Amino acid sequence: MDGIDLRTDGIAVRDRFLTRPQIRALADSARKRRERGGFAAARIGADRRLQRRAEIRGDSICWLTEPLFAPERALLARLEGLRVQMNREAFLGLFELELHYAWYPPGTGYARHVDQPQDRNQRRVSLVLYLNERWEPSDGGELRIFGDDERHRDIEPKGGRLVVFLTDRREHEVLPTRQSRLSLTGWFRSRE
Ligand code: OGA
Ligand code: MN
């Protein structure tokens, strides 16, 4: 079962959401998109104020747009099941999913931030799914999620691991990685 429970502290970590062949197939789809030039340096800010600030955010991203590869389509069908389940259990009013690959080369990270562009709150639930086949603690690149009291939790980007959290004001960062780090990152959005 794919059940995700956000009702306790608004964060859920699910290991082995993907099997090794599924991880490999999605990493392969990402590689094909990259070879076609589908990845671009990520920028920060909103709309006309978007800017590249590699010292804040060093990844390159590629949105999951049509045409989709078969492993991508299969994943989206599963995540649709997750959307329906979360709506049923937590009444989140989730309407659609936006999803992109994120590739961090060695030496990069993403400084502490929240996921809502200013003045907008359609992003209700953040999701990160890691596609790294091998990951060692010495590789860095943890997702650090902060609590209300400055305590934090570090989550290694192990292949197949799914992290889901309520987007609202939740501060988090990607610690500098020493290995090439690949994930799928996205948001379940509400209509308004
Ligand atoms: C993001 C983000 C976390 C991660 O892309 O907004 O916070 O672990 N990613 O990749
Ligand atoms: Mn984020």
Side-chain angles (χ1 to χ4, degrees), residues 44-55:
I44 57 170
D47 299 332
R48 268 166 294 162
R49 297 187 16 242
L50 274 174
Q51 47 180 327
R52 175 66 173 167
R53 296 281 300 277
E55 75 283 11

Side-chain angles (χ1 to χ4, degrees), residues 2 52 59 98 101 110 116 120 122 129 131 145 151 156 161 169 186-187:
D2 283 348
R52 175 66 173 167
D59 57 330
E98 49 178 358
Y101 291 102
Y110 191 165
Q116 278 137 199
R120 292 194 220 161
Q122 294 107 318
L129 179 59
L131 302 177
I145 301 185
R151 270 193 287 214
E156 277 180 64
R161 174 174 279 173
R169 289 187 306 254
W187 298 272

